[in-house]
Amino acid sequence: MEEYTLVVRKPCFGLPTACPSCLPVFFYLKFANVPFHLAYNLTYPDSDKIPYIESGEYVTYNNEKGGIIERLKEDHIADLDTELHSVPEWISTKAMISSWLADAIKYELWLGTDGSSAETIYYSDLPWPIGKILFLKQLHKVKQELGITKDNSAKIEEQTYKRASLAFGALSSRLEEQNFLFENRPSSLDALFLGQALITLQALPETSVLRSKLLEHENLVRYVDRLKTEFVDAGSSSSVPNYPSSAAPRRGPSNWSSKPKSKPKREKTKEEKSFKRRSKYFLVAQLVSVVLFVTLMARADDAEIELDDDEGYE
């Protein structure tokens, strides 16, 4: 069986990766018994292509339609959801995990806590000024994605935690004392929820509201602990390599494997040369973009202040 390379963001908080997009894919491959090893991309912290999977000429990125897990199904590499796609309760549970809980983790990482967990996951390997500015840029993006404004921030917060609480309650009732959420066998929903739950329990601070709501459900906590022990702790020595990589996401043969390949040397494709050239200017381009972003935001704030002053004289 062909071995794959799963490229993710770095390990932290005692997890092979604490990236909410990456960890569910890790568990999906584990559940499906797909042979793979991990590699870490530290150069592109805000790339929506990460995670991605490659093997030989095959590669699939996170930002492709449906995401990596759906592509693995379509490409007949691994499908854990056979005969579940048409089950109404499975469909509604998937929607709840993919929307309510995904939004709750995004909110908690960037807005509900002090943001230190998000900085550790995404930007701690960058020079402080660049990492901090990229963090603020992403924070602004998250607010836009969640539809948060100054007027509705309190309402969004209340709604987010309420939905998360309902979701945890529904999952707890669904799981009871089974080993998995549906038909007592792993599915993509287990991979999604397990990734979310581990990040909630291990990456978020003890003061996290979302973390406290999950801890209210003892059977969910036992479920998470058991699967972590089986699929992370037991295989940590062989599954999680201790090497970083800064290679850019690309199409073409893998350079992530720790074992040298004996394939004959070939001339680099035009696309590979383009990626290599772009990677040299990545930090410079990011710095320019964030400086422009901060400048525009500062101008917008100044405009609001002037408007408020004008209104005060009316």
Side-chain angles (χ1 to χ4, degrees):
M1 192 173 184
E2 191 171 9
E3 182 171 289
Y4 295 84
T5 298
L6 173 62
V7 182
V8 298
R9 293 184 172 88
K10 67 176 184 179
C12 52
F13 300 109
L15 299 171
T17 175
C19 165
S21 300
C22 303
L23 196 55
V25 181
F26 171 88
F27 284 117
Y28 188 84
L29 293 174
K30 284 284 190 179
F31 290 159
N33 292 317
V34 174
F36 73 98
H37 65 269
L38 286 177
Y40 300 106
N41 186 297
L42 308 180
T43 306
Y44 295 83
D46 56 351
S47 173
D48 61 356
K49 289 186 176 181
I50 300 172
Y52 62 95
I53 293 177
E54 60 179 1
S55 178
E57 296 294 332
Y58 176 85
V59 62
T60 180
Y61 295 108
N62 180 60
N63 63 351
E64 295 181 16
K65 185 178 180 181
I68 289 181
I69 291 178
E70 291 303 316
R71 281 296 308 274
L72 291 174
K73 297 177 188 178
E74 294 172 4
D75 296 338
H76 305 291
I77 294 173
D79 188 353
L80 294 175
D81 302 333
T82 304
E83 300 178 358
L84 290 174
H85 298 283
S86 59
V87 177
E89 190 174 357
W90 187 88
I91 296 171
S92 61
T93 304
K94 180 180 179 180
M96 180 177 64
I97 293 174
S98 301
S99 56
W100 286 6
L101 289 185
D103 285 349
I105 287 187
K106 183 184 295 185
Y107 180 90
E108 199 75 339
L109 278 174
W110 296 95
L111 296 160
T113 57
D114 61 4
S116 59
S117 297
E119 285 196 76
T120 299
I121 294 168
Y122 295 97
Y123 304 119
S124 60
D125 293 298
L126 295 177
W128 180 83
I130 295 177
K132 190 63 177 180
I133 296 174
L134 286 176
F135 172 84
L136 294 174
K137 179 183 176 183
Q138 183 65 23
L139 179 62
H140 180 70
K141 181 180 178 182
V142 168
K143 287 181 178 180
Q144 289 182 319
E145 291 174 347
L146 297 178
I148 296 175
T149 64
K150 292 180 180 179
D151 297 330
N152 69 3
S153 59
K155 181 180 179 181
I156 294 293
E157 178 181 12
E158 180 183 1
Q159 176 180 279
T160 299
Y161 290 136
K162 181 178 180 180
R163 287 178 172 178
S165 183
L166 290 172
F168 289 145
L171 289 171
S172 178
S173 298
R174 171 72 216 177
L175 180 66
E176 294 182 335
E177 296 303 323
Q178 298 181 97
N179 290 328
F180 298 98
L181 291 171
F182 281 85
E183 298 184 0
N184 215 25
R185 64 180 177 89
S187 71
S188 63
L189 297 193
D190 293 282
L192 288 171
F193 176 65
L194 181 58
Q196 294 173 342
L198 275 172
I199 293 170
T200 300
L201 293 173
Q202 295 195 207
L204 294 176
E206 292 184 0
T207 55
S208 164
V209 175
L210 187 65
R211 185 175 185 272
S212 66
K213 290 185 177 297
L214 176 55
L215 287 171
E216 292 174 2
H217 302 280
E218 294 183 1
N219 65 331
L220 293 182
V221 175
R222 289 194 301 271
Y223 160 90
V224 171
D225 287 341
R226 175 177 55 81
L227 293 178
K228 177 179 179 290
T229 299
E230 183 176 353
F231 291 97
V232 177
D233 299 339
S236 59
S237 59
S238 59
S239 299
V240 184
N242 294 317
Y243 59 88
S245 177
S246 58
R250 60 177 179 80
R251 290 190 177 274
S254 170
N255 281 336
W256 295 97
S257 176
S258 59
K259 296 180 180 180
K261 294 185 178 181
S262 58
K263 292 183 179 180
K265 187 176 181 179
R266 63 173 179 79
E267 184 179 354
K268 291 182 178 180
T269 65
K270 183 178 179 181
E271 187 176 18
E272 288 174 327
K273 291 178 180 178
S274 175
F275 267 120
K276 184 177 181 180
R277 183 172 63 253
R278 291 174 185 172
S279 65
K280 295 178 180 179
Y281 303 102
F282 171 74
L283 291 178
V284 176
Q286 285 285 18
L287 181 58
V288 171
S289 67
V290 296
V291 168
L292 289 173
F293 168 79
V294 172
T295 302
L296 291 173
M297 289 296 293
R299 290 179 179 176
D301 291 340
D302 291 341
E304 290 180 4
I305 292 172
E306 291 177 2
L307 181 58
D308 291 340
D309 290 342
D310 291 342
E311 290 176 350
Y313 287 113
E314 290 179 359

